[in-house]
Amino acid sequence: MTTKQALTNRQNSRKSTGPKTPEGKAKASSNAIKHGIFARTRFLDDESPEEFRLLLDGLQMSLCPAGSLEHALVERIAVTLLRQQRLVRAETATIELSRRLDAKANRNEIETALGMTYPNQVNDEDLTLSKEVGGDYLASCSRIAEESLRLDRRALAATDLDHLEQAAPTLHRALSCEAEEADAPLPEFIRSYKGGLSAWVKDVANGCRSEIAAIRRSALIGEVAALVRSSRSAPLQQELISKYQTALDHELYRAIRALRETQEWRLKTLESGDPMVAQQLTRGS
């Protein structure tokens, strides 16, 4: 390399000093973080420094550290406990993600269990309909479907509203509600309906049968979905999580043991009666 090239390289290196803004520096500092369990950054975005401070204060009150070394060991214990809490949240999140019914694998399992094929796959409405619809609505649809079978077709063709009210009171109430919503007298509403009373009864009854089928389909899918969710109620990465937990347990044990040994050494030294050593050991407590 010539002198000119070396000088040019040094000049270029001065220009490439990395991010200068706070946002850029923060982004660059997180580039190497693959997970939050052993991150160098103490707090993740969803963690509260105030909660950690309360944890640390509680440990200091119960463990009574004296001097910088013991305080550092107590803080090490607090950090390990923080990471254990982080691990529990990570495990819970893993389970919740695997239990989500919008996951394609889970929906495929439901469809396989019920023998559902294209174009009758599980959709969002199937997973929510039975929860959103009350029992009264299903009962009303069932009564309408049953009542429609008892009606005399000739009476319907003649727009016999008295026959409708006597033989199918639920249908008659539904008809009255529709006429009221249309702000029209009942006979006028029927005359304006294409096909008359017979067509109206047929349309409403068929609509109720479709609703009943959809609700029952949703209820069946809901039962199978609950089984699928239950089968996903264990972490998929159990072995990895167990390794993290073991590592954290060892770290916590080592920190507690180191603190205990340090405190025992301090107390023995204090009992030796050397005032200068005692002053140095308790300094900063």
Side-chain angles (χ1 to χ4, degrees), residues 15-274:
K15 298 178 182 179
S16 303
T17 56
K20 296 180 176 60
T21 64
E23 294 80 4
K25 292 179 180 179
K27 184 176 181 180
S29 67
S30 64
N31 285 343
I33 297 178
K34 294 183 174 60
H35 53 71
I37 304 299
F38 293 106
R40 289 185 179 181
T41 304
R42 176 170 293 176
F43 304 112
L44 302 180
D45 292 340
D46 59 344
E47 293 175 340
S48 170
E50 180 60 29
E51 290 183 6
F52 176 78
R53 171 53 57 185
L54 292 174
L55 171 64
L56 182 58
D57 289 345
L59 288 172
Q60 288 175 338
M61 289 181 62
S62 60
L63 297 176
C64 302
S68 300
L69 177 59
E70 292 180 18
H71 277 279
L73 289 171
V74 171
E75 185 171 354
R76 178 177 165 188
I77 293 172
V79 170
T80 304
L81 291 174
L82 171 68
R83 289 173 174 171
Q84 286 187 331
Q85 295 171 359
R86 189 177 295 167
L87 180 63
V88 171
R89 292 198 304 274
E91 181 180 14
T92 302
T94 300
I95 295 174
E96 286 299 327
L97 285 173
S98 67
R99 283 163 50 94
R100 289 177 64 115
L101 293 177
D102 54 357
K104 187 175 181 179
N106 290 343
R107 295 206 179 187
N108 288 343
E109 187 166 347
I110 296 171
E111 292 162 359
T112 300
L114 295 175
M116 300 171 64
T117 58
Y118 180 84
N120 297 314
Q121 292 104 321
V122 176
N123 56 50
D124 292 341
E125 185 179 358
D126 292 327
L127 298 170
T128 58
L129 180 60
S130 61
K131 296 179 181 179
E132 295 175 350
V133 175
D136 292 342
Y137 178 74
L138 179 59
S140 177
C141 285
S142 299
R143 284 195 299 270
I144 287 176
E146 293 171 2
E147 289 177 357
S148 67
L149 300 175
R150 300 199 297 261
L151 292 171
D152 183 275
R153 304 303 167 191
R154 289 176 296 180
L156 292 179
T159 315
D160 189 342
L161 295 176
D162 291 335
H163 170 69
L164 180 68
E165 184 175 10
Q166 293 175 5
T170 308
L171 264 169
H172 188 271
R173 284 195 296 273
L175 177 61
S176 299
C177 289
E178 284 199 31
E180 184 176 347
E181 290 176 0
D183 195 21
L186 202 53
E188 182 180 332
F189 176 78
I190 289 299
R191 283 195 298 270
S192 65
Y193 197 91
K194 186 178 181 180
L197 185 58
S198 296
W200 182 88
V201 169
K202 181 179 179 181
D203 291 344
V204 172
N206 287 340
C208 284
R209 292 187 183 97
S210 296
E211 287 286 276
I212 293 169
I215 294 170
R216 289 176 177 171
R217 166 189 163 97
S218 177
L220 181 59
I221 290 174
E223 292 177 7
V224 177
L227 296 176
V228 171
R229 285 171 61 87
S230 296
S231 71
R232 301 287 193 270
S233 295
L236 300 179
Q237 300 176 332
Q238 181 63 53
E239 183 178 355
L240 180 60
I241 290 176
S242 296
K243 288 181 179 179
Y244 282 143
Q245 183 63 64
T246 300
L248 289 172
D249 288 343
H250 288 332
E251 176 68 18
L252 181 62
Y253 172 75
R254 286 193 296 266
I256 293 174
R257 184 178 61 182
L259 175 64
R260 184 171 63 247
E261 292 175 352
T262 303
Q263 289 178 323
E264 290 175 354
W265 175 76
R266 172 172 55 83
L267 293 174
K268 288 180 181 179
T269 305
L270 289 173
E271 291 173 358
S272 68
D274 189 332

